[in-house]
Amino acid sequence: PNGGGKTTLLKIMLGLLAPQRGRVSVFGRPPAEVCASIGYVPQHAQIDPTVPANVLDVVLTGRLGRAPWGAMYRRSHVDAAREALRQTQTEDLITRPLATLSGGQRQRVLIARALAGDAKLLLLDEPTASVDPQAERDLTNLLHQLNEKMPIVLVSHDISFVSTHLKRVACL
């Protein structure tokens, strides 16, 4: 249900919040120590559609923690971004403005942004919200492919989606 703590748990796993009691570990360590290895796709990405950023620009922001301040992105950063776009099957969108993308395309680009930071774990908050049924199927297939390479933690209200596609479920 709403207010059950699902998004809060993701934020604790990211090291953005501390648990009120108990402890949380990710890869056996405190979240703050491994947060650079976690890719996160929020439910509502706060990206201003009027900013003239194209898809590559957005995906490169996933490399901010790996790029020196004030410097241009290096070739290795652009290569990592392009690889993330390839993995999410969005490389053909590379020059498109973010504001022109459909909901499903936008979700794939945001996943690419999370992957571009060399994620070892992917956290997704309601990734299928606000996408049409075909985009949901495509996104589900993508997540199955990515899950072969890395663990994925997904928050969803959709019980049929959860029961059909996920190996393990924790209800909050």
Side-chain angles (χ1 to χ4, degrees):
N2 289 333
K6 299 175 296 298
T7 299
T8 300
L9 178 59
L10 292 184
K11 289 180 179 181
I12 290 170
M13 292 174 70
L14 286 162
L16 298 173
L17 296 174
Q20 292 180 348
R21 56 179 183 245
R23 65 186 172 100
V24 171
S25 61
V26 178
F27 300 127
R29 298 172 55 198
E33 292 180 14
V34 296
C35 63
S37 300
I38 302 172
Y40 175 55
V41 179
Q43 181 176 0
H44 301 291
Q46 300 298 326
I47 300 173
D48 184 350
T50 64
V51 171
N54 66 30
V55 165
L56 181 59
D57 296 330
V58 171
V59 174
L60 279 169
T61 64
R63 301 290 299 176
L64 284 175
R66 294 175 171 26
W69 280 97
M72 299 284 289
Y73 287 106
R74 295 186 178 126
R75 170 53 67 197
S76 61
H77 299 297
V78 175
D79 290 345
R82 286 179 178 273
E83 174 57 20
L85 288 165
R86 188 197 61 73
Q87 287 179 336
T88 58
Q89 299 155 4
T90 53
E91 63 267 58
D92 59 321
L93 305 174
I94 199 164
T95 60
R96 292 258 311 265
L98 190 64
T100 67
L101 303 182
S102 69
Q105 290 170 325
R106 179 181 270 221
Q107 278 299 85
R108 285 173 170 270
V109 168
L110 294 175
I111 292 170
R113 179 179 70 173
L115 295 173
D118 301 325
K120 306 286 185 269
L121 168 66
L122 194 56
L123 304 181
L124 300 115
D125 196 354
E126 296 280 347
T128 58
S130 304
V131 298
D132 62 59
Q134 181 60 49
E136 182 176 321
R137 284 188 293 278
D138 293 345
L139 195 57
T140 300
N141 290 335
L142 171 63
L143 294 176
H144 281 291
Q145 292 169 6
L146 292 172
N147 190 225
E148 292 175 11
K149 300 173 192 164
M150 71 177 65
I152 296 174
V153 176
L154 171 112
V155 166
S156 179
H157 287 271
D158 186 346
I159 299 299
S160 65
F161 174 82
V162 168
S163 63
T164 305
H165 297 290
L166 303 179
K167 296 175 188 173
R168 295 185 200 133
V169 176
C171 295
L172 300 178

